[in-house]
Amino acid sequence: MTTMRALRLHGDRDLRLEDVPAPPPPGPGEVTLRIKAVALNHIDVWGFRGMAFAKREMPLIVGAEAVGEVVAVGEGVTGWKVGDRAAPYGALTCGKCRRCLAGQDNLCEDVRGVKGFHVGGFACELVNQEARLLVRVPAGISWEDAACGPITFSTVEHMLFDNAKLEPGETILVHAAGSGIGTVAVRIAKDLGCTVIATAGDDEKCAKAKALGADIVVNYATQNFPTVARRATNKVGVDVVFEHVGASTWAGSLLSLRMGGRLVTCGSTSGVSAETNLMMIFQRQLRIFGSFGASMRNIADGYAKMARGILPVLDTVLPVERFAEGLDRLESRRVFGKIVVTL
């Protein structure tokens, strides 16, 4: 193949499906992946809009979360062969610093960017990837489900277990339960045996969150979720808050916590700044964890859960020609679960 199809961003909101040169044969330590599916995330929306703080190579092949099949193996690569199913890790980590050597990939001290956001990503037919930055995909998981492993499942794994250390029987408040990570958090927490209180922005999403397994659902547009959370826990408060909404829910999330409760946050879609009652933090001994990205171990742990039946919620599966339609659905929040694009 001398050319391939690729989705390239030429400027703010200027996304084009184009024929571009295919990558050369894989170099030493690399494999070539034939991309099968790409899952959409808010990082794709941010990149599509144009983010002033991001230094990017333009035009840029988009797509930060994907899965594919190995079609060629470079010199010196062991453990991978043609036909293997693999998920590429999107951060260009150094692999040499103390954090990388400790398996804390998302804390790399010399990361060179994120594929699909800073440098060329995975929304293309073929891509060369360092073999060290691949995670094996178990047999039996569909390409569409597997596409949700590298960011979506791994983010939830890192938030709930590396940071918040969620335990069986605890009560967790999951915000934006209709989002990609929100739906996964509900399913994983219920599988663990937790009581789940889920928030969503309309009654339809609340009903879907209830069907997903949430014990209590709250329409945050019409109900006061801290009041519901405290009432549901006999005024004690929840053990963990799964936060990624940001400014609009921040104060209420802190109010919802029990003494010594844990809040883990990975996002700020409603705004990056929020007032915080510091006396509440220390008097109630609350713990706040910032969580960004995930390690390759988290991806593997997520796939292990998929393999035993905890699957992502797929809102929409679209062909690559309709990638922009998926971005529009995600940006306008007309989505419950994940949007996946197939190539």
Side-chain angles (χ1 to χ4, degrees):
M1 182 185 290
T2 57
T3 63
M4 66 175 183
R5 292 184 304 164
L7 273 165
R8 297 205 298 175
L9 187 69
H10 287 258
D12 295 356
R13 299 183 181 274
D14 183 5
L15 187 63
R16 309 174 196 173
L17 181 60
E18 301 174 313
D19 289 327
V20 301
E30 293 183 335
V31 306
T32 300
L33 286 180
R34 183 179 299 279
I35 299 299
K36 295 291 188 176
V38 176
L40 302 190
N41 295 276
H42 280 287
I43 193 173
D44 298 298
V45 174
W46 299 334
F48 181 58
R49 291 173 178 169
M51 299 295 282
F53 67 83
K55 294 180 180 179
R56 302 186 287 179
E57 300 173 358
M58 302 289 276
L60 174 79
I61 295 178
V62 299
E65 184 176 32
V67 67
E69 180 182 6
V70 175
V71 294
V73 177
E75 180 184 349
V77 172
T78 60
W80 293 98
K81 65 181 186 302
V82 172
D84 283 347
R85 293 152 52 88
Y89 187 71
L92 295 174
T93 59
C94 71
K96 300 175 182 178
C97 70
R98 62 190 179 96
R99 296 295 196 178
C100 284
L101 294 176
Q104 298 172 313
D105 312 281
N106 54 320
L107 292 176
C108 175
E109 296 168 356
D110 191 25
V111 65
R112 291 170 287 132
V114 175
K115 287 193 170 186
F117 189 65
H118 303 104
V119 297
F122 303 115
C124 54
E125 291 180 300
L126 296 171
V127 66
N128 288 344
Q129 176 83 357
E130 289 184 71
R132 69 178 182 88
L133 296 177
L134 291 176
V135 177
R136 194 171 302 277
V137 177
I141 301 173
S142 72
W143 292 118
E144 294 82 2
D145 288 337
C148 304
I151 292 179
T152 309
F153 261 73
S154 67
T155 295
V156 176
E157 285 285 317
H158 186 50
M159 290 178 73
L160 293 186
F161 302 115
D162 291 352
N163 289 312
K165 300 190 185 304
L166 184 67
E167 297 181 357
E170 291 193 307
T171 299
I172 180 172
L173 172 64
V174 176
H175 280 305
S179 66
I181 62 171
T183 51
V184 171
V186 170
R187 281 192 161 166
I188 287 179
K190 286 305 301 178
D191 178 73
L192 192 64
C194 296
T195 298
V196 175
I197 303 171
T199 72
D202 59 52
D203 290 340
E204 181 181 358
K205 288 182 180 180
C206 283
K208 289 181 178 179
K210 186 75 171 179
L212 200 60
D215 298 280
I216 299 169
V217 294
V218 184
N219 183 337
Y220 60 75
T222 59
Q223 296 174 278
N224 186 296
F225 71 82
T227 298
V228 175
R230 298 195 70 82
R231 184 183 300 128
T233 56
N234 294 318
K235 300 183 180 180
V236 172
V238 302
D239 299 287
V240 172
V241 173
F242 183 91
E243 171 66 77
H244 55 115
V245 176
S248 67
T249 54
W250 184 256
S253 291
L254 294 175
L255 282 170
S256 300
L257 285 168
R258 68 178 301 147
M259 187 82 72
R262 296 102 70 196
L263 181 150
V264 59
T265 178
C266 76
S268 54
T269 53
S270 69
V272 299
S273 299
E275 289 190 6
T276 299
N277 185 328
L278 297 179
M279 289 185 67
M280 181 192 304
I281 300 295
F282 63 76
Q283 286 181 345
R284 297 187 60 77
Q285 302 178 66
L286 305 181
R287 286 167 284 176
I288 299 174
F289 299 90
S291 190
F292 184 77
S295 68
M296 286 190 285
R297 172 183 53 80
N298 294 137
I299 300 174
D301 289 346
Y303 280 137
K305 286 187 170 65
M306 285 193 203
R308 62 181 181 84
I310 306 175
L311 299 176
V313 176
L314 300 183
D315 174 274
T316 310
V317 177
L318 299 170
V320 67
E321 293 83 2
R322 295 169 62 187
F323 189 97
E325 178 184 328
L327 281 179
D328 179 65
R329 281 182 62 82
L330 187 58
E331 185 175 18
S332 62
R333 299 171 63 190
R334 294 180 287 111
V335 58
F336 188 90
K338 292 291 293 185
I339 297 173
V340 173
V341 172
T342 56
L343 283 88

